[in-house]
Amino acid sequence: MGHGPAVDWGKDNASPKKEKLGIILFIVYLLVYIGFIFIGVIKSELMKTQVAFGLNLAVFYGFGLIFFAVILGVIYNKICTKYEDTMNKEEIEK
Amino acid sequence: MIYTASPLAIFIFILFVALVLGVSFFFARKTKSAAGYYAAGGTIHWGVNGIAFAGDYLSAASFLGICGMIATVGYDGFLYSIGYLAGWVVALFVVAEPMKKLGKFTFTDALDHNMGSRAIQLTAAISTLVVSTFYLIPQMVGAGALVTPLLGLPHWAGVIMVGTIVVIIVATAGMTSTTYVQFLKGGLLIIFSTVLTVIVLMNGFKTKPQENYHNFKMIHVTQTADNQLILDKGAYKYSDETFEGNEYKIISKQDYHGMVFYKVEKDGIQNWWLLNERGGVKFLDETLSVVKKEDGAVLYNGETKEKEKFYPVGHFEKIVMDGKEVESTGSLTPFKFLATVQSSTVITYKIVKLQDGKDSVTLYYLKPVSGENIMAPGVKFKLGEKSKPIDKLNFISLMLALFLGTASLPHILIRYYTVPSPRDARKSTIIAILAIGFFYILTLFMGLGAMGSGVLDVQSDNMAAPLLAKFYGIGIFSIISAIAFATVLGTVAGLIVAAAGAVAHDFIHKFLKIQSTDEKKVFHGKMAAIVVGAIAIILGILFQGMNVSFLVGWAFSVAASANLPAIVMKLFWKKTTGTGIAISIVVGMVSALAIILLSPSMYLQYGKDPLTAPFGIDNPAIISIPLAFLALIIVSLKTQKKAKA
């Protein structure tokens, strides 16, 4: 017998929707990430192409992947909070 | 390299360690229960937890390893930054929400939820231990690398110091105190890295990075018909002076994969030079050498260590800004900084090991690389038309391990349970992504800054960022090094808590079914912490000199192979059985470990020729993760009946 959860976070009706949203956003990010690896493996010379501000595709794509993760994270948080607010009304602290 | 400690550095260092220990002891007094020890009792504020997440994650590998790798191979080091951050996407979007529903202390608890399988309890506890240990090695190596320039102590002293301090922290405290330690150092690391980046941008680049930077010598040579060299005029890189080539005498030469190195003597001191050709003219260029004599004596550039002839490297062959070649750039905007590196030519160094009679010779020769290549993947990980399929596989495998590794690290997920609500947990992950993403962008600037500042120690690239700070003043160097050291302390503490949890909670309590009081459980955890700490100290000493980020790549591979298939299938595939999970953990862990132990990089570590390694790849993820998934699916399908019965 274990000693139960460390924290009792209560029931969450929004959980299935949040899970689904998580998977969708993950797939979106995965495709962009695979794109980066794909260029590296298939046509790495493309990474050296100048894009803007004297910088190449590698720098833009790399920074892009970092920013994109942050942006998706913020979007995910916003939508999840909305789900929780509408679906767990009775459980929100007054 | 030769390092001497400064009193200011020692003072700041002691102040930091005392602060970390103080915070740790303060919160330790509040930790009484097992829940408090392992998961901080769910009382931490989400903002604190978010930065603590970042603190956990921005380990020695991120600060020391990534900056070091960028400083030596450019963009390929930045791949680690990209991959580490991308890993958060998997942790946040795929694993965190469903895992949280199960609301357990450790991986094992989550995997074993509704299963009650002893096989899971055992294998998951072992995998947590193995992954934590693997992740501990680079932290310890980082600690050893840090104390050398900071306190003038040898590598092993740093490793033992970290091990001891952390065991004291963990054995007295637990999750609450490690959270506050992580918060403190995570926050400080980001603040001071920003300060260092601003200083780097304000100073820009110079062709001669420092006033007392080594003035590289070259000798014009004529090759006779019978392949003998005649040494003509000698010249310096940074002055117009010349010298007579015939002051030097060629002693011997050695061929190495198409390159020819000459052992040359002047005034009784022997050095190694590399034959190069530029614009149809042949030159001998000096290299840095470390010669281990038969009697055990070690010579640095032909002289004893105390003579301090072993100079730091890192400069531009030429700096091109806005299409014009310049001596100095002045202050640069972030984009201009990157664009300038891209259009300039950087000097990198390559390592060659030779046998000269009974002497072992390690040579570091300088090699110009165009900024265009430095700022794109391909210098370390061979890509492009000339690369072999195995090289490409290695690159894919690394990117896969980094992507999937984060969610599989036991000490990262454990922090998810330390806040009061799921909303807080998610908010702290967003804070973490923001902080970590920002920091990883800084790594590119710090790494490239170190690359052109003449501060690199060819024997270990792990110190690039702290040495860059040292170039700008002993004050910022001491602060950054002390933070990095605290980083190691915090990460090691977090890992040891996770490992101790695996032993005390999963193994002793659940697997062996030894019922004990809360107090006894905490005692078991502390004992386990001491044992794991001792193992980490030994491994930290053995792996001296390897890039810490590269080592973390391995930890990610093992974590992703052992844990990820199990956790993902458990969460998303209803047919998953207990036996399937246990076998998947074993297959993932063993195959990843086997490939690593037989990889070219480990062969180099054993002192063997890496070309003779049975596996051509260094990163196992591409093979071991699918194997673990396959094992889980096959075994689960085969054990369906039993599961239903």
Side-chain angles (χ1 to χ4, degrees):
Chain A
M1 235 135 286
H3 36 75
V7 190
D8 186 7
W9 280 340
K11 196 174 175 315
D12 184 3
N13 300 322
S15 225
K17 283 194 92 169
K18 286 192 289 185
E19 262 176 41
K20 206 174 156 196
L21 175 70
I23 299 291
I24 292 169
L25 293 183
F26 165 72
I27 291 169
V28 170
Y29 192 85
L30 180 69
L31 290 176
V32 182
Y33 190 76
I34 288 176
F36 180 81
I37 300 176
F38 192 78
I39 297 175
V41 171
I42 305 295
K43 210 163 172 52
S44 67
E45 287 302 309
L46 204 64
M47 289 285 193
K48 295 173 188 165
T49 322
Q50 300 276 331
V51 179
F53 307 110
L55 301 178
N56 63 18
L57 180 67
V59 173
F60 267 91
Y61 211 144
F63 279 5
L65 279 169
I66 291 179
F67 283 122
F68 194 43
V70 174
I71 291 165
L72 284 187
V74 173
I75 293 173
Y76 175 72
N77 185 42
K78 279 243 181 268
I79 301 179
C80 283
T81 310
K82 217 169 110 192
Y83 284 157
E84 285 165 6
D85 285 346
T86 50
M87 299 174 83
N88 297 339
K89 264 183 186 154
E90 64 279 14
E91 278 150 61
I92 295 173
E93 285 175 18
K94 293 267 148 50
Chain B
M1 287 222 327
I2 323 297
Y3 298 106
T4 42
S6 89
L8 179 68
I10 295 173
F11 173 74
I12 293 178
F13 174 79
I14 291 173
L15 196 76
F16 255 81
V17 175
L19 185 69
V20 168
L21 284 176
V23 169
S24 176
F25 286 132
F26 175 76
F27 288 103
R29 286 171 44 205
K30 298 182 170 179
T31 310
K32 293 283 178 276
S33 67
Y37 185 76
Y38 295 117
T43 55
I44 310 259
H45 183 268
W46 57 267
V48 172
N49 204 52
I51 299 294
F53 250 134
D56 262 335
Y57 204 58
L58 301 178
S59 66
S62 299
F63 183 63
L64 303 176
I66 293 181
C67 292
M69 215 187 268
I70 294 173
T72 49
V73 295
Y75 194 90
D76 279 345
F78 191 58
L79 288 175
Y80 281 83
S81 289
I82 296 168
Y84 285 150
L85 190 84
W88 273 94
V89 170
V90 186
L92 177 65
F93 295 161
V94 184
V95 181
E97 189 66 33
M99 269 280 278
K100 192 191 62 203
K101 266 199 312 200
L102 310 177
K104 298 291 182 183
F105 274 136
T106 63
F107 243 121
T108 321
D109 278 345
L111 287 177
D112 196 30
H113 185 67
N114 287 342
M115 295 253 183
S117 157
R118 280 166 66 80
I120 294 185
Q121 287 154 12
L122 181 67
T123 49
I126 293 174
S127 111
T128 302
L129 257 180
V130 169
V131 172
S132 305
T133 311
F134 250 84
Y135 206 78
L136 277 167
I137 300 171
Q139 313 304 326
M140 292 303 205
V141 173
L146 269 170
V147 293
T148 316
L150 188 67
L151 306 175
L153 295 172
H155 176 90
W156 60 265
V159 175
I160 291 178
M161 210 152 78
V162 166
T164 316
I165 298 173
V166 166
V167 168
I168 295 172
I169 295 177
V170 176
T172 52
M175 201 62 187
T176 314
S177 62
T178 57
T179 299
Y180 281 98
V181 168
Q182 292 298 59
F183 166 72
L184 196 71
K185 72 116 237 243
L188 287 172
L189 184 64
I190 292 167
I191 292 169
F192 279 93
S193 297
T194 311
V195 171
L196 183 58
T197 303
V198 171
I199 295 176
V200 166
L201 291 174
M202 281 167 63
N203 281 275
F205 292 117
K206 292 189 188 87
T207 42
K208 186 180 181 184
Q210 303 183 27
E211 265 319 297
N212 54 357
Y213 189 61
H214 183 71
N215 203 357
F216 292 91
K217 291 191 279 286
M218 62 194 117
I219 302 172
H220 292 243
V221 292
T222 316
Q223 208 156 10
T224 60
D226 55 347
N227 257 345
Q228 296 299 309
L229 285 192
I230 299 165
L231 306 180
D232 305 325
K233 269 267 183 270
Y236 293 94
K237 177 162 176 59
Y238 296 114
S239 57
D240 297 331
E241 289 167 58
T242 55
F243 59 89
E244 289 305 321
N246 59 18
E247 292 170 10
Y248 290 83
K249 200 173 95 197
I250 292 175
I251 306 292
S252 62
K253 73 169 188 173
Q254 280 214 31
D255 292 281
Y256 183 88
H257 295 283
M259 290 179 288
V260 193
F261 292 93
Y262 285 83
K263 185 159 82 173
V264 166
E265 187 179 295
K266 186 195 172 194
D267 302 333
I269 294 162
Q270 294 181 344
N271 269 308
W272 288 83
W273 298 59
L274 170 63
L275 183 64
N276 275 322
E277 192 177 321
R278 289 186 287 272
V281 185
K282 287 198 162 101
F283 293 91
L284 275 185
D285 289 318
E286 60 175 328
T287 69
L288 287 100
S289 62
V290 178
V291 179
K292 267 197 192 125
K293 308 291 281 183
E294 195 191 357
D295 60 5
V298 183
L299 297 178
Y300 294 82
N301 285 351
E303 301 194 54
T304 56
K305 202 169 188 175
E306 294 70 31
K307 295 270 170 64
E308 300 196 15
K309 291 288 187 231
F310 204 66
Y311 47 85
V313 296
H315 65 274
F316 283 93
E317 174 84 358
K318 62 172 184 193
I319 300 176
V320 178
M321 192 169 75
D322 299 328
K324 272 183 286 182
E325 201 173 325
V326 293
E327 291 275 308
S328 164
T329 61
S331 75
L332 294 164
T333 62
F335 280 170
K336 201 64 173 270
F337 178 91
L338 299 176
T340 304
V341 176
Q342 206 174 294
S343 50
S344 303
T345 305
V346 182
I347 295 292
T348 61
Y349 60 86
K350 300 269 173 210
I351 303 171
V352 166
K353 291 194 180 206
L354 302 172
Q355 203 60 37
D356 179 36
K358 288 183 172 162
D359 298 347
S360 312
V361 182
T362 308
L363 297 178
Y364 305 89
Y365 68 93
L366 307 183
K367 189 180 176 208
V369 178
S370 74
E372 197 190 22
N373 288 332
I374 282 288
M375 293 301 285
V379 175
K380 181 178 170 68
F381 301 102
K382 298 279 167 284
L383 295 170
E385 281 160 19
K386 284 184 198 155
S387 64
K388 289 182 241 147
I390 195 109
D391 297 324
K392 291 178 173 173
L393 204 66
N394 210 10
F395 168 73
I396 300 172
S397 195
L398 172 79
M399 296 311 280
L400 187 72
L402 299 181
F403 192 48
L404 301 178
T406 305
S408 323
L409 292 175
H411 75 296
I412 293 293
L413 279 175
I414 203 173
R415 192 167 295 294
Y416 212 80
Y417 310 117
T418 55
V419 289
S421 73
R423 189 173 297 205
D424 283 352
R426 208 173 46 243
K427 274 197 274 188
S428 56
T429 341
I430 303 294
I431 294 285
I433 288 197
L434 268 170
I436 296 167
F438 176 66
F439 176 83
Y440 280 148
I441 290 190
L442 298 182
T443 57
L444 190 60
F445 293 94
M446 290 189 284
L448 293 174
M451 182 179 250
S453 298
V455 297
L456 300 176
D457 176 350
V458 288
Q459 286 183 294
S460 165
D461 60 4
N462 291 325
M463 282 304 290
L467 289 173
L468 173 68
K470 194 175 186 181
F471 171 50
Y472 292 115
I474 198 81
I476 185 155
F477 162 68
S478 313
I479 294 171
I480 284 217
S481 300
I483 296 169
F485 194 79
T487 300
V488 175
L489 289 183
T491 310
V492 172
L495 281 165
I496 290 187
V497 170
V503 173
H505 173 65
D506 301 334
F507 185 69
I508 298 180
H509 177 60
K510 294 194 80 177
F511 182 72
L512 297 179
K513 294 194 187 306
I514 296 175
Q515 292 300 329
S516 45
T517 58
D518 233 25
E519 249 173 39
K520 198 89 190 187
K521 260 184 243 166
V522 173
F523 172 76
H524 286 150
K526 289 175 179 179
M527 283 296 110
I530 292 170
V531 175
V532 175
I535 295 171
I537 288 175
I538 296 167
L539 292 172
I541 293 170
L542 290 177
F543 281 84
Q544 176 182 3
M546 256 184 144
N547 180 289
V548 292
S549 210
F550 185 75
L551 288 170
V552 167
W554 276 351
F556 272 53
S557 295
V558 178
S561 311
N563 297 340
L564 192 95
I567 197 79
V568 165
M569 295 306 264
K570 156 94 186 178
L571 296 173
F572 298 105
W573 194 47
K574 288 196 176 70
K575 287 186 175 170
T576 306
T577 64
T579 323
I581 289 181
I583 298 288
S584 157
I585 292 174
V586 173
V587 167
M589 185 168 56
V590 171
S591 58
L593 283 175
I595 295 170
I596 289 173
L597 291 174
L598 298 173
S599 69
S601 290
M602 273 313 282
Y603 262 53
L604 198 66
Q605 198 70 8
Y606 302 143
K608 293 182 181 173
D609 184 357
L611 294 175
T612 61
F615 278 98
I617 58 170
D618 277 325
N619 297 295
I622 190 104
I623 297 168
S624 50
I625 294 177
L627 266 182
F629 268 114
L630 200 67
L632 189 143
I633 293 168
I634 293 172
V635 175
S636 289
L637 289 176
K638 290 247 176 206
T639 50
Q640 281 302 302
K641 257 190 183 165
K642 257 193 248 167
K644 274 176 193 161

